[in-house]
Amino acid sequence: VQIELEPKLFTPNNDGDKDLLHIRFNLDEGGWQGNIKIYNDRGMVIKNLISNYWIENKGSFEWDGSDDNKEMAKAGIYLVYFEVFNANGEKFAFKKVCVLGNSY
């Protein structure tokens, strides 16, 4: 099971360079549901990117730097929490850090 973030530092300023955080995953098999939550440096969830979403064994999701209120999050360090689970009761959780740079 692999989870990777690219780029680790992204700047959502619509200049065409590093505007999105790509959350790429590669699971051994399909049949999983997933949740992705974005936490700020105070441990608060600012974005529920996906909730109980059926995912393939390989793919990606993107975060544009916005919070659940569709406002741009402040520049800083964020934790991406990605969990997957299946009907057999198996569960995997991953924590990765990224940096949201200034968007101006």
Side-chain angles (χ1 to χ4, degrees):
V1 178
Q2 290 180 303
I3 305 294
E4 80 177 35
L5 305 181
E6 189 181 332
K8 300 263 191 231
L9 166 62
F10 73 111
T11 53
N13 56 8
N14 293 321
D15 68 352
D17 184 36
K18 300 179 183 175
D19 289 329
L20 297 172
L21 175 71
H22 300 278
I23 304 164
R24 294 192 173 97
F25 61 92
N26 191 350
L27 307 171
D28 296 333
E29 57 191 26
W32 297 89
Q33 281 184 273
N35 297 314
I36 299 177
K37 297 177 189 264
I38 311 292
Y39 289 82
N40 66 14
D41 60 353
R42 295 181 311 221
M44 298 173 62
V45 175
I46 64 143
K47 180 78 169 183
N48 287 292
L49 197 60
I50 62 168
S51 295
N52 296 325
Y53 191 88
W54 285 100
I55 58 175
E56 301 291 327
N57 63 321
K58 185 177 182 181
S60 69
F61 294 97
E62 287 77 35
W63 180 38
D64 64 1
S66 67
D67 62 17
D68 279 338
N69 296 321
K70 297 182 175 46
E71 295 177 13
M72 188 55 61
K74 294 180 181 176
I77 298 171
Y78 291 86
L79 177 90
V80 177
Y81 180 77
F82 189 166
E83 68 179 352
V84 294
F85 51 92
N86 65 19
N88 298 331
E90 295 176 289
K91 179 179 173 182
F92 296 99
F94 307 90
K95 297 175 186 174
K96 299 278 186 175
V97 175
C98 69
V99 178
L100 170 62
N102 287 328
S103 57
Y104 49 82

